[in-house]
Each structure stands twice: as structure tokens, then as C-alpha cells.
Amino acid sequence: MKGNIRKAVVILLAAALTIGLTACGGGSEKANDGTVKITNVSYDPTRELYAAYNEWFTEVYEEETGTKVEVVQSHGGSGGQARSVVEGSDADVVTLALAHDITLIEQAGLIEEGWIEEFDRQSSPYTSTIVFLVRKGNEKNLKDWDDLIKDGVDIITPDPKSSGGACWNFLAAWQYASEKFGGDENKVKDFMRKLYANVSVMDSGARGATTTFVENGQGDVLLAWENEALQTLSEYPDDYEIVSPSISILAQPSVAIVDENAKKDGTEQVAKDYLAHLYEKDAQKIIGEYGYRPSDEEVLKEFSDKFDLKMNLCNIDDFGGWDAAYEKFFMDGGIFDEIYENR
């Protein structure tokens, strides 16, 4: 039924698959040939990026150090991935959709305090933003957030309870409405209720939402990570268009070493080097090629024809930082629950 689909079974299956995969990939001990195995627990849309990065890193790292490295990947909704690590998945590093998900792991005692300062740019080696992915021709002329609350518009977006991308989606829409209504929170909430009343499917993660929209043919518009939209466009150039709304948000995925696991597994140095190498020029170019915005400004300029660098972007500081934003909007009983239950 429209607006009522949470896909609980999908969430449970995704969590089970995530835990199973990371458990199988756990044990980061050296193999007989001296290969060091590390596990990177990541979020949904980074599959292709890390497949390419891992190939580059393992080759470069062996040349630099003589150490062979095998990287095991796990992907799912960012919130669910964070919980899987807290519950025992043997991640050496996490590369998640938002800082708050890593804070949850820190609060569980698995990541040392101050992790966000361990790597450059608040441990965010790449950024993204939120765009609209529509079908070719954009039949319903969806140009901005206002258009999404009209009658008859069918929206696909993941669930903020399990997906980091969905949290960014929500905040981008909230900022638009806040500016439109001069910060009148009651009017903003009413706008958001209308928007979520038009949501027909909320998958557990961003990749699941893309599958629903692209492969299953549901919805008029997908609220998407820019990188997901770019990938879809590259695969189906004649079938889809990207629309940049008048206001979006600078989405900053975060990375961290899972210190307790890395110490236990003896992979601290490799884990640190794995994340540090994300900032290398060649790695930044891989990041740009896979639709993420490189944190290196020089490399980012090389992709100026790929990204809309003139977009009006708010950022998480406009919401008081991730801890404040999560508590206000996404905790049980927060504003998202209030809006969704009363849409």
C-alpha cells in the first residue's frame, strides 16, 4: 500500500547477509603465504568503488611494503552495517555513509575517541550530494522539492532507520522547506509529511532503492546519492535523467579503523594505510571515476564536467552536527517518526 511499505523482511535478510558475510570474512590473520586479510564494512553504493580501489591498493601496497593484502568487503544500509559491527562483525575498517554511524561503534568501545581527526578532512576522503533521478523525458516535470509533494507523484527513497543515504535525503528536503518557510517548523513538518505521503517504497538501503526504481520500474523519482544516479546514467543513458534540486546537502561519508578488532587481528598498520591511501592522487582519481567527489580540490577540478559544482549545498553543521541531527530527527520518537506516522 502506498506509503506503508517498510520491507521489514528485506531489512532482516540484509542484516543477516551482512553479518554472515563479515563473519566469514572475519579472522584477519596472515595466510600461509603471508597475505594479511582485512575486512572493510561499508554501505550500499560503494561496491564498485571499493572493488576498483582494493585492486589498486593491494597492488600498490605490495610494491611499497612487500606485504600482500586481501580485502574482504561487506555492504548494506549504513545504519545496519554499523549495528552489525557493534554486534560482533569482525571489521578492521568501516567506510560508512555518515559520521553518526561510526560514533555508534565508538560508543560501543570498538573505536577510539577522536577517530574523526585521524584522517584529513574529518576522515572524509570523498563527498557526494543528493539528486533526483527521473525517467527520460521527466514526464511529471519534477524540478525541485516542491514538485515532489504534488498529488500523483511516486517517490522512492530508502528508510532513514537503516540507510545513511536516506538520512541525507531527509535533511536536504528539510533544509529546502526550512528556507521556504522561514524556519517555521510546523510548516516544515507539514511539507515533509506531504513528501513522505508520496513515498511508495522505503528499502533498507540506497542500492535496494536504486534496484526498486531502475530494475523493478517503480516510482517517478528516486532520491539518490549523486554517485548512484551517475552510475545509472552511465549504464542506461537513454532511459534516465539527473535533476539537481535548488538546495541539496554536502554528504560526507566517513572512514575509521575499528581499533579493537584491528588490535586483536594484528592489522592496525595495514588498516591505517588502507584508509590513508584513499587520499592519494591516484586513489582520488578512482573515486572521481566512480561518481564520488574527490576531497582533493585539484583532482575534483578534473571532474568538473561530471559534477554540478555550482549546486547550493547546505551541510551537517547547519543542523548542529550529526549527533544533534540524529537525536532530533532519527532517534526513535524523533521528528522522522512523527512525520512518517502522521503522513
Side-chain angles (χ1 to χ4, degrees):
M1 184 179 294
K2 188 175 179 65
N4 289 329
I5 303 176
R6 286 266 189 159
K7 293 193 173 179
V9 173
V10 172
I11 294 172
L12 290 172
L13 285 173
L17 285 170
T18 294
I19 292 169
L21 176 56
T22 52
C24 292
S28 303
E29 300 173 357
K30 283 188 177 180
N32 292 334
D33 64 353
T35 300
V36 178
K37 182 188 292 185
I38 63 171
T39 298
N40 175 9
V41 171
S42 195
Y43 64 106
D44 260 334
T46 60
R47 289 174 170 86
E48 295 78 13
L49 167 61
Y50 279 107
Y53 174 72
N54 292 344
E55 183 177 352
W56 173 84
F57 171 78
T58 53
E59 181 178 340
V60 167
Y61 198 67
E62 185 173 1
E63 290 176 358
E64 291 177 349
T65 67
T67 300
K68 294 182 179 180
V69 179
E70 177 187 349
V71 185
V72 176
Q73 284 298 132
S74 172
H75 298 273
S78 188
Q81 291 290 76
R83 287 189 289 274
S84 79
V85 175
V86 171
E87 292 166 4
S89 293
D90 194 18
D92 298 282
V93 301
V94 286
T95 55
L96 297 176
L98 45 91
H100 181 77
D101 289 336
I102 297 180
T103 298
L104 292 177
I105 304 171
E106 176 195 349
Q107 291 170 346
L110 297 174
I111 293 177
E112 293 174 1
E113 199 173 328
W115 65 268
I116 201 165
E117 303 300 334
E118 186 162 2
F119 299 99
D120 289 345
R121 297 181 180 267
Q122 295 187 307
S123 292
S124 181
Y126 44 84
T127 64
S128 190
T129 189
I130 302 305
V131 298
F132 303 166
L133 184 67
V134 299
R135 305 185 193 286
K136 198 74 171 181
N138 194 6
E139 183 179 341
K140 295 191 176 179
N141 197 31
L142 305 176
K143 298 295 186 182
D144 212 344
W145 296 102
D146 260 346
D147 299 317
L148 303 193
I149 67 171
K150 294 176 180 177
D151 290 342
V153 174
D154 191 347
I155 302 169
I156 307 297
T157 180
D159 188 342
K161 293 294 187 177
S162 55
S163 166
C167 295
W168 292 114
N169 292 349
F170 182 97
L171 293 179
W174 181 278
Q175 182 69 14
Y176 171 85
S178 183
E179 293 192 19
K180 177 180 175 67
F181 297 114
D184 186 326
E185 195 159 284
N186 288 328
K187 290 182 179 178
V188 176
K189 287 180 180 179
D190 185 58
F191 178 92
M192 298 299 287
R193 286 189 193 97
K194 291 175 182 176
L195 189 149
Y196 277 89
N198 280 350
V199 173
S200 60
V201 178
M202 286 207 306
D203 291 275
S204 61
R207 181 54 58 86
T210 302
T211 298
T212 295
F213 185 72
V214 175
E215 296 184 17
N216 298 343
Q218 295 179 248
D220 301 308
V221 57
L222 172 69
L223 304 187
W225 287 99
E226 181 182 50
N227 54 280
E228 280 284 274
L230 287 168
Q231 180 172 313
T232 300
L233 207 61
S234 68
E235 293 176 359
Y236 307 99
D238 298 326
D239 298 329
Y240 298 95
E241 300 175 15
I242 294 174
V243 174
S244 299
S246 63
I247 295 174
S248 192
I249 191 165
L250 180 66
Q252 296 170 282
S254 299
V255 303
I257 301 166
V258 185
D259 298 289
E260 287 301 305
N261 290 348
K263 288 176 184 177
K264 171 176 63 69
D265 296 333
T267 59
E268 291 173 275
Q269 189 61 53
V270 174
K272 182 176 182 178
D273 292 341
Y274 177 77
L275 296 182
H277 274 63
L278 284 165
Y279 294 87
E280 297 285 340
K281 290 282 187 184
D282 286 344
Q284 288 283 296
K285 290 178 181 179
I286 293 171
I287 285 166
E289 287 166 2
Y290 280 85
Y292 293 83
R293 298 185 177 207
S295 63
D296 185 305
E297 295 293 337
E298 290 184 6
V299 178
L300 178 61
K301 288 177 183 177
E302 295 180 22
F303 292 90
S304 59
D305 60 338
K306 187 170 191 173
F307 305 113
D308 181 357
L309 300 180
K310 296 181 180 180
M311 287 180 70
N312 180 14
L313 303 179
C314 63
N315 62 61
I316 195 60
D317 291 338
D318 294 320
F319 299 89
W322 259 116
D323 289 346
Y326 204 90
E327 182 175 356
K328 177 176 180 178
F329 294 106
F330 306 119
M331 291 288 283
D332 290 346
I335 287 178
F336 173 75
D337 284 348
E338 175 188 342
I339 287 167
Y340 194 78
E341 291 166 6
N342 295 285
R343 65 199 186 286

